[in-house]
Amino acid sequence: EAFGNAKTIRNDNSSRFGKYVAVQYDEHGCIAGASTETYLLERSRVVDISAGERNYHIFYQLLTDSGIRSAWSLPPAESLDVLNVDGQVARLAGVSDAKEFAVVRRALPAFGIGPPEQAAVWRILSAVLLLGNLAFSLASDAAGADDYAQVADDAALACAAAALGCEEGSLRVALLQKKINVAGEDITQRYSIKAAQICRDALCKSIFAALFDWVVGRINAVSRSANPRSSSIGILDIFGFEQLQTNSFEQLCINFVNEMLQEQFNESVFAAERRLFAAEGVEVEDGSLQSSAERLRLMTRMLQGLDDQCRLGERGSDEEFFQEIGQKHTVRGICQQEQRGVFSISHYAGKVFYTTDGFVLKNSDQLPPDVTALFATCVGLESVITILNGGTPADAGRLSAADPRASATTSASSVRDSAPSGAGPAGGGGGVSAFKLNLSLANARASQIEEAQATARGVGGAGRGGRPPPVGP
């Protein structure tokens, strides 16, 4: 929850990713483990939040540790662009970020993430915050060419480079220019302010998403059952249907998935049962079902058109995508253009207005080759780089505890609080046993409850109107 949940206008602890959890059971019916697959992490939230909302919980929790703030020169949330809106930071009623951070630090060793790796996690999160705080201003070269971007604050750039573990000059170059090949010759193209901001944001989102995948992978490595023959019960937890004040690309993806699941539900639960009844000669009332098939076909074509805009590179635009909706995807009663840059889709759950601003950028969301090359020079980010390059969390292994600056250390209290009593040595060696101990206690508790319920049925007369004995909280 710390890494994947955030406050929205409707929910103080909203999951901003989908997940499928397979709860695994042994031959005796006891829980043997669990495996989690995640998808659709809301990457844009890392760099852009709306009024009244928050970024991911872990960022605010991190800032409650004075040692971490001091080590990486982190300003307060009110001064970090990715954590506030116009200087205002939304608060969680009745929740202490400091206490929640203590819970996170105590939980990580149970999955083999001890203090050295935790320090690496805090460093990566700090790098995201510092990168997101980089601002750009206009500059002109001596020849009087077109305006291009420059970093507005060299001190801020130095802090971000230190957290990333790279040279300040290398980071500056990666954020301000790119190389393109024209007729076999490499040409350096400088970025405008908008292009530099896009590059910065893509870097922040990619680093955080890779770290999130790494955390999930480490949890799976400990919680997954080692028995390949174990049975499982699957639980799908997705975003609900979303209709916000401003609906963008993320809401279109979420609602597209919900349309597909609704259609699957209708087919599996209602349509298939009707066909079975008809085959057996059983008459059933012919209730009407709202099909999402036509909407799904339209939205699929729409997303394919958006992909086409992304393939055009700098020639692709939100405006062209919006025009294409009017020309190719307008269907009476389902999809239509509204005001400029806004279109609507009448979903099974209701009509939603989508703003196309940012659609092309969010759908492409790729790191420029120059930024990818920068990662190869970063000290201690090898695991994150492995995931960014398409590797799995299992391939990534452990985070490097190497600190690119000898003077940068987390507070002693952070290290002490990170290792709860009985959690094992600093490297997290006690993590597996701690997890299995909790699992054993959970199974024992379940057996205790079952025995109490059996006693209630046989002796306490629960089936005859009597009350079963209490079985504890």
Side-chain angles (χ1 to χ4, degrees):
E1 289 188 356
F3 287 86
N5 287 24
K7 171 182 168 58
T8 66
I9 58 174
R10 295 181 178 176
N11 185 347
D12 281 357
N13 191 34
S14 174
S15 298
R16 307 315 299 164
F17 63 98
K19 59 181 173 289
Y20 175 80
V21 182
V23 182
Q24 299 159 324
Y25 294 83
D26 62 19
E27 61 272 19
H28 304 294
C30 292
I31 295 177
S35 179
T36 302
E37 295 180 32
T38 64
Y39 49 89
L40 276 181
L41 175 70
E42 189 182 22
R43 294 157 60 104
S44 63
R45 181 170 293 270
V46 178
V47 296
D48 183 29
I49 55 176
S50 302
E53 297 195 346
R54 304 212 320 172
N55 210 315
Y56 291 101
H57 294 324
I58 190 64
F59 289 121
Y60 303 92
Q61 295 170 5
L62 183 79
L63 294 177
T64 64
D65 187 294
S66 59
I68 296 174
R69 288 205 321 271
S70 175
W72 300 110
S73 303
L74 291 169
E78 288 79 6
S79 300
L80 287 164
D81 292 342
V82 298
L83 300 187
N84 71 79
V85 178
D86 297 328
Q88 300 298 311
V89 178
R91 305 296 177 186
L92 295 177
V95 176
S96 166
D97 287 324
K99 290 181 179 179
E100 292 298 310
F101 193 39
V103 172
V104 172
R105 291 198 301 255
R106 288 195 297 269
L108 289 175
F111 297 97
I113 305 175
E117 281 190 292
Q118 288 183 40
V121 171
W122 312 148
R123 170 199 159 196
I124 293 170
L125 292 170
S126 299
V128 172
L129 293 175
L130 293 167
L131 278 170
N133 227 36
L134 289 180
F136 303 96
S137 59
L138 284 175
S140 298
D141 63 17
D146 292 338
D147 289 332
Y148 59 89
Q150 66 177 9
V151 176
D153 186 345
D154 288 340
L157 179 70
C159 290
L164 279 176
C166 67
E167 295 291 335
E168 181 181 338
S170 300
L171 179 58
R172 185 192 305 272
V173 170
L175 291 173
L176 297 181
Q177 64 186 47
K178 67 178 179 180
K179 289 182 180 179
I180 56 176
N181 190 278
V182 179
E185 181 181 357
D186 286 338
I187 297 177
T188 299
Q189 183 181 45
R190 289 169 171 168
Y191 287 146
S192 64
I193 288 181
K194 182 177 181 180
Q197 291 170 338
I198 291 172
C199 180
R200 173 203 63 197
D201 290 350
L203 184 56
C204 291
K205 290 183 284 187
S206 296
I207 293 174
F208 182 79
L211 179 62
F212 177 80
D213 288 342
W214 179 85
V215 170
V216 173
R218 291 299 296 274
I219 292 173
N220 278 335
V222 173
S223 65
R224 185 184 288 119
S225 171
N227 182 2
R229 294 181 298 174
S230 60
S231 302
S232 66
I233 296 177
I235 304 169
L236 180 65
D237 178 13
I238 66 162
F239 297 94
F241 183 83
E242 288 200 344
Q243 184 177 19
L244 308 179
Q245 292 178 339
T246 301
N247 300 290
S248 188
F249 177 68
E250 296 84 3
Q251 281 67 50
L252 182 67
C253 291
I254 290 167
N255 293 341
F256 178 58
V257 171
N258 275 276
E259 287 281 4
M260 294 183 72
L261 287 173
Q262 181 69 20
E263 185 72 3
Q264 177 70 25
F265 181 80
N266 287 345
E267 171 63 26
S268 300
V269 176
F270 296 112
E273 288 297 307
R274 284 179 179 173
R275 289 193 294 270
L276 178 61
F277 288 160
E280 295 178 348
V282 178
E283 293 186 6
V284 294
E285 184 178 347
D286 187 20
S288 60
L289 289 175
Q290 182 183 5
S291 174
S292 296
E294 188 173 359
R295 277 189 297 272
L296 287 170
R297 287 192 292 268
L298 181 143
M299 294 176 73
T300 300
R301 294 195 303 270
M302 185 182 294
L303 290 171
Q304 289 170 345
L306 183 58
D307 285 343
D308 292 339
Q309 288 296 319
C310 293
R311 294 189 187 99
L312 293 174
E314 294 185 357
R315 291 179 294 143
S317 69
D318 297 328
E319 176 63 27
E320 288 296 323
F321 173 62
F322 177 70
Q323 295 301 326
E324 183 178 292
I325 291 175
Q327 297 165 4
K328 299 181 180 180
H329 307 307
T330 298
V331 176
R332 185 177 179 84
I334 297 180
C335 177
Q336 63 185 44
Q337 285 181 319
E338 304 291 341
Q339 63 207 57
R340 185 176 181 85
V342 177
F343 69 94
S344 65
I345 296 179
S346 296
H347 294 281
Y348 77 91
K351 191 173 185 177
V352 178
F353 295 86
Y354 296 97
T355 302
T356 58
D357 184 36
F359 263 54
V360 171
L361 174 61
K362 291 175 180 178
N363 190 47
S364 54
D365 207 18
Q366 294 180 338
L367 286 175
D370 304 71
V371 174
T372 304
L374 170 71
F375 277 129
T377 70
C378 293
V379 177
L381 291 187
E382 292 79 11
S383 295
V384 172
I385 295 168
T386 298
I387 296 175
L388 286 172
N389 289 335
T392 66
D395 299 328
R398 290 186 174 274
L399 283 178
S400 171
D403 194 327
R405 306 176 311 163
S407 62
T409 57
T410 54
S411 65
S413 61
S414 296
V415 175
R416 285 197 303 270
D417 292 344
S418 296
S421 176
V432 176
S433 59
F435 174 80
K436 290 184 176 178
L437 173 62
N438 290 333
L439 194 59
S440 298
L441 291 174
N443 282 324
R445 184 61 178 147
S447 299
Q448 202 176 30
I449 293 174
E450 287 176 1
E451 290 174 5
Q453 290 173 334
T455 302
R457 288 192 297 270
V459 179
R464 302 175 181 270
R467 283 183 178 273
V471 293

